[in-house]
Amino acid sequence: MPDETEDPRLAAQGELALARAALDAGELSDAAAYLAGALGHAPTMPEVHEVLARLRARTGDGTELFPLDRPAFVGAVVARAHLLAAGGRPDEGLELLVAATAHDPGMDWAAVPWVTDPELVTRIGPENITGVLMRLCAAVAEPAPAPQRAALAPYLLLARHAVAAYPQHALLCGAASAYARRLGETGLAVRWAQQGVAAQPSKLGEVWLGYAHRSAGHTNEALAALRRAVDHDPDDLSVYTDIAGTLADNGRLAEAMTWVERALARDPGFDCAVHTAQRLRYRRDGDVRHLIALADFQREHPDRTHEHTDLAECCRQSAWLGIVPAASESIIDVLRQLSAATEPVTAGRLRLSELEVPSAMRTLATAAPGLELLVERISAPDLRLPRRPQGRLLWRYDGTTAQPALPAPSAAAAERLRHLAQPGWPHPPAAYDAAVSLATVEVDDLLGLLLHPPRPPETPLGRALAEHDPALWHRTVQVWACLGLLHHRTDEAWESSARRELLLGLVWGVEDWITEAALFALVTAAWVDPTVRDDVAEVVAERFRDALAVARQRPSSITWSLARLAMITPGIDPKVAELARRLFPDTGPRPRRRRRGWWARLRRRLRRRR
């Protein structure tokens, strides 16, 4: 396929010039290869189709020049489709165009005259067109992204012609409705679905009608159609969950639960019902145990072919379930203000009432090396000391200045993590699975990454983090490095494993962002492996209680985060979870501390040197 920076028409013209030369020389295979390349760049360019017609005239058919190899080049697939249509086999050609659309829905594969010809539907027949539309529905997102809709529009015109030619074909009307719905044509989708149900009432027809009404915002009509679908087939439990989801999305959670419980009463293992039930239960009471049970169900039933997103929907944008929570230290607030300032602050002096965690201090020092930090006091217990003797030594202090006690990681390790790390993930098991690519990274490199984060990747997200929140990038790197440690020597029994010992050393080291990252890795282990849950729950509870004890004596910026981790730990003592919930009732982003005149005080503290 063409490079994104390349002008596709210019590239197609270059391929086309080579195709013409090869065709004139009688080198038909070469001509076909160049034509396939031209179609891959510009599938609707008239000149390409003219040369393709010349090639067909030379060979009488030409399809043998475009074999469907594995993997097949998409340009060759499209060329073969056009030749099949020209040779009187448009049904086969249309199937290949649909395959190309499934490969790249944003390309104009079907914007050619033979596809939009009203006579095509009579040559193919309603059954074939129904199959084409159903395959398109499977390949196209609902709703289709706006940039793709122009390329998908020729198939909608095909559907219009088909419904006009076969208005009483119920399956065709329903499939056309489903496709129209994906392109945002909700009024048309409702009309076609109604037409199909009127022609032949059926469960599938009512389901299509219910979906069309739901997309159009007609909630009561959608529910009525789906209930009629249940009347047609009381054993199709997927419709029960559709009704439950529709009710829940419209604030009728109690009614939704009755429908999903009806489905579970018929089949307790029906995957759609299990996923919907656990999602709605979590929505009802916010108890993470429902999500853990759902993760367990997914792990225990890997053969389920239907893709569900319920777990990811519940975890999205939730601290530690789906995202790295933002740092809450006062010096990181300073860093954010400096990033937003219209004039760069290259030097100055900042007074801190208390010493803050070393990763935060180091992040500010790296981002603003000319800024002098003056710490007024170090309250007990001393933040510079590990919380327990087995805590791993990662930082060395010169007074109040923290320096990494370990060398930087190898360039290869830094690059691998740099391209993997993201501040969000679908859910903890997905984060665990993604981190498997770090399994071969040396432990010393993973530990080095905790202290020496690589620069963010050159992506829109990476550039935004570098410019606006380098602290979040540093925290993100630490999280993924700890997840990498979780994949170290997985053949070892958990209780005596090196990975457990490494992570415990980080958990009980100097109070830091690393504490949070290591504890999240342990919590993630408990999500994916029930046999370690009792051990992890005990560690999390112990570390949280220790953080509370510290917070009673001096400020501790990580306590809220540890509370959140306690709330999502499988098998945690309910009393510990309730304590975390009572002390930190907010389950969303970390509540920011109110600071009156904060920016004015910062301006007084930051005196630019002339």
Side-chain angles (χ1 to χ4, degrees), residues 291 310-318 321-323 426-428 527:
L291 304 186
D310 301 82
L311 183 57
E313 288 175 14
C314 292
C315 293
R316 183 180 298 122
Q317 297 302 312
S318 186
L321 285 174
I323 58 171
H427 44 72
W527 273 71

Side-chain angles (χ1 to χ4, degrees), residues 117-119 121-122 126 129 133 155-170 172-174 176-177 188 191-192 195-196:
D117 183 355
E119 298 300 320
V121 297
T122 58
I129 296 173
L133 293 174
Y155 297 116
L156 184 61
L157 183 56
L158 172 70
R160 288 180 185 274
H161 294 155
V163 173
Y166 307 103
Q168 298 301 307
H169 198 288
L172 172 62
C173 291
S177 169
L188 189 59
R191 188 161 66 251
W192 282 346
Q195 188 172 324

Side-chain angles (χ1 to χ4, degrees), residues 428-450:
Y432 176 83
D433 291 342
V436 73
S437 64
L438 299 173
T440 58
V441 176
E442 295 294 333
V443 166
D444 288 346
D445 283 333
L446 292 172
L447 294 173
L449 284 162
L450 296 171

Side-chain angles (χ1 to χ4, degrees), residues 19-27 31 54 58:
R20 287 191 179 107
L23 187 59
D24 291 342
E27 299 169 348
R54 284 180 54 197
R58 289 281 295 271

